[in-house]
Structure formats: structure tokens, C-alpha cells
């Protein structure tokens, strides 16, 4: 019988969609022994990398991590798994897309692919999860794959309200596939240069420029005004081509 690879799925509150997809049989991860590891909210912020492993730095966060993991794994060491998936992990790519789509859609402005590449590199280097992954890679992690957990779902909240995406960048609803493709390509090249895999958002799930089709919103999204979390079906769509 062929040996199975060890897969760790690390993330923030978006990790729940992956776990539900796996438990429902929407994802099978053929050939992998799977463990989940991570935390939500403030407990996620208390996870840091040091001495070869990701660890929770507060008792409350450690309790959450152990609950999520279910196998008593207090630390996620760089050499313990064959593959690490960083799911969600607060990449905040909607901020990147909104800023540069607004530029591309302005007839009086333009941006080159070289400038986009520099912007993508700088943006990702500012993400704490990317820096943690770089340290893991330096300490022997074999493969790390980043997965974006999706643009906000359309129609769940009023995106034109102050502080939301359309308040500062109203043109983004006009963005077309070719605009998005330039940004995905820029991000993909940076992840590739860093030695990481990357799974962006499938084009068929995008509506209104850079929002997620509400059919993929988490259950009860309208009642909870939760435009950020997605359904198990969405998580399965992202991961199954790579892992099934």
C-alpha cells in the first residue's frame, strides 16, 4: 500500500468552511492524512512563529488551537508535514484588488505590469502569514500553498457605506475578467518567486467586479451580516482541483 502524505491546513476563522467541506465529503484529500490547526479572531492574532514551529502565545489561543486540531498538537512544526495549506490567513487581497482595479479603471491613469509586480511583492511582504511561511520554509517546510478565502459576498451588506469597499473605490464594480487576470498574475508570480503555491478565486465565482457570488456565502450570512465567510461548497471548489 502506498504511503500517505501528511497535510496540515492552517488558518483563521475561514478554516471552518474547509473542515465542514471535508466532513461533508465535498473534499476527500485522497492520499493525505489531514490535520487542521488554527484559530479565529484574537486567538488567531496570538499565533506566532518561532523555534521551528507555529505556536499560540496565550493560554486562550492555545485552548482554541487544541480544540480545532483535536489531536493534541500544541505546535505546528515546519518539518512535521509534507504539505501546509495556509487557508484564509488574513491575506486581505480585496484591499489590493480594490486599490489597483480603481487605477486600471480610471481613464486618466495607467499602471504597467512591472509596477503591478512591485506592488504585489510589497503588499504580500506586509502580510504576517507570508512572513511566517518564509520562516517555516527556511526551517525545512517542504511545500506551502496559500489559498485566498474569497472576496466579500455581494448583497450581504451595503458596500457603499462608509468604511466599506465601494465607499472609496466605487469603480471596482466595472472591473472585467481581464482586469482581474492582471492582478492574479502579478500575485501568482510573487508567490512563485517566494517558493509558495497559490490558489486564487475561481473566475466563475466572481460578480460585480470583485465580489463573490452570494450563492457561496456562509449559511445565515444575511442575518449575521457576514459577507466575509463562505460556504463549504466554496472551500471545496478552491481546493479539490489541487488535492482531489
Amino acid at each position: 500500500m502506498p504511503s500517505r502524505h501528511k497535510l496540515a491546513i492552517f488558518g483563521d476563522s475561514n478554516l471552518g468552511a474547509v473542515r465542514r467541506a471535508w466532513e461533508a465529503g465535498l473534499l476527500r484529500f485522497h492520499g493525505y492524512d489531514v490535520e487542521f490547526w488554527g484559530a479565529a479572531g484574537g486567538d488567531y492574532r496570538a499565533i506566532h512563529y518561532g523555534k521551528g514551529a507555529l505556536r499560540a502565545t496565550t493560554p486562550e489561543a492555545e485552548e482554541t488551537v487544541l480544540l480545532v486540531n483535536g489531536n493534541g498538537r500544541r505546535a505546528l512544526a515546519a518539518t512535521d508535514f509534507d504539505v501546509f495549506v495556509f487557508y484564509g490567513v488574513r491575506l486581505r487581497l480585496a484591499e489590493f484588488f480594490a486599490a489597483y482595479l480603481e487605477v486600471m479603471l480610471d481613464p486618466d491613469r495607467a499602471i504597467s505590469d512591472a509596477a503591478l509586480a512591485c506592488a504585489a511583492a510589497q503588499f504580500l511582504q506586509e502580510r504576517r502569514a507570508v512572513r511566517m511561511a518564509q520562516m517555516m520554509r527556511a526551517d525545512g517546510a517542504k511545500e506551502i500553498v496559500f489559498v485566498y478565502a474569497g472576496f466579500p459576498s455581494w448583497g450581504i451588506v451595503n458596500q457603499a457605506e462608509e468604511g466599506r469597499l465601494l465607499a472609496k473605490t466605487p469603480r471596482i464594480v466595472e472591473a472585467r475578467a481581464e482586469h482581474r487576470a492582471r492582478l492574479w498574475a502579478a500575485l501568482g508570480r510573487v508567490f512563485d518567486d517566494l517558493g509558495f503555491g497559490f490558489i486564487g478565486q475561481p473566475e466563475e465565482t466572481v460578480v460585480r467586479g470583485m465580489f463573490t457570488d452570494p450563492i457561496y456565502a456562509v449559511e445565515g450570512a444575511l442575518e449575521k451580516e457576514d459577507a466575509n465567510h463562505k460556504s463549504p461548497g466554496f472551500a471545496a471548489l478552491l481546493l479539490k482541483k489541487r488535492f482531489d
Side-chain angles (χ1 to χ4, degrees), residues 10-69:
F10 163 62
D12 51 19
S13 56
N14 290 287
L15 194 61
V18 185
R19 182 157 214 155
R20 289 191 293 274
W22 180 61
E23 291 173 345
L26 302 176
L27 276 169
R28 299 194 182 278
F29 295 112
H30 293 293
Y32 292 93
D33 290 324
V34 179
E35 284 192 35
F36 294 86
W37 202 93
D43 290 336
Y44 174 79
R45 290 191 292 273
I47 292 173
H48 294 270
Y49 187 82
K51 297 182 179 179
L54 289 165
R55 291 182 175 84
T57 57
T58 67
E60 296 81 8
E62 185 176 80
E63 183 178 349
T64 300
V65 161
L66 290 172
L67 183 64
V68 169
N69 177 252

Side-chain angles (χ1 to χ4, degrees), residues 211-231:
F211 292 92
T212 299
D213 189 321
I215 67 171
Y216 296 107
V218 69
E219 185 178 358
L222 280 171
E223 293 80 4
K224 294 180 285 190
E225 296 187 340
D226 183 354
N228 293 322
H229 295 96
K230 307 298 186 299
S231 67

Side-chain angles (χ1 to χ4, degrees), residues 178-201:
E178 57 264 34
H179 298 126
R180 294 187 291 272
R182 289 186 67 195
L183 297 180
W184 288 126
L187 291 164
R189 283 192 293 269
V190 176
F191 276 117
D192 189 56
D193 289 344
L194 292 172
F196 303 137
F198 176 55
I199 299 174
Q201 181 160 352

Side-chain angles (χ1 to χ4, degrees), residues 52-233:
L54 289 165
R55 291 182 175 84
T57 57
T58 67
E60 296 81 8
E62 185 176 80
E63 183 178 349
T64 300
V65 161
L66 290 172
L67 183 64
V68 169
N69 177 252
N71 290 324
R73 189 180 298 276
R74 296 179 182 275
L76 194 64
T79 55
D80 281 352
F81 290 84
D82 300 292
V83 184
F84 295 88
V85 170
F86 277 43
Y87 191 92
V89 294
R90 304 193 180 176
L91 286 178
R92 306 193 188 285
L93 295 189
E95 297 175 11
F96 178 78
F97 270 76
Y100 289 98
L101 286 176
E102 191 77 1
V103 173
M104 285 191 276
L105 290 162
D106 187 336
D108 297 323
R109 302 166 75 186
I111 186 166
S112 68
D113 286 344
L116 280 180
C118 289
Q122 180 178 344
F123 184 87
L124 290 180
Q125 197 57 50
E126 293 170 355
R127 310 275 71 80
R128 189 167 69 92
V130 172
R131 296 195 300 271
M132 291 194 298
Q134 288 177 293
M135 289 186 281
M136 289 185 74
R137 188 66 183 269
D139 285 337
K142 297 176 185 177
E143 183 177 0
I144 299 174
V145 180
F146 279 84
V147 184
Y148 179 48
F151 299 127
S153 297
W154 180 256
I156 305 301
V157 297
N158 182 1
Q159 292 290 347
E161 289 180 349
E162 185 176 355
R164 299 194 187 276
L165 283 172
L166 296 183
K168 290 186 177 180
T169 52
R171 284 193 179 99
I172 61 175
V173 294
E174 303 167 21
R176 301 185 299 275
E178 57 264 34
H179 298 126
R180 294 187 291 272
R182 289 186 67 195
L183 297 180
W184 288 126
L187 291 164
R189 283 192 293 269
V190 176
F191 276 117
D192 189 56
D193 289 344
L194 292 172
F196 303 137
F198 176 55
I199 299 174
Q201 181 160 352
E203 184 62 31
E204 66 268 25
T205 68
V206 181
V207 298
R208 300 296 183 106
M210 55 154 286
F211 292 92
T212 299
D213 189 321
I215 67 171
Y216 296 107
V218 69
E219 185 178 358
L222 280 171
E223 293 80 4
K224 294 180 285 190
E225 296 187 340
D226 183 354
N228 293 322
H229 295 96
K230 307 298 186 299
S231 67

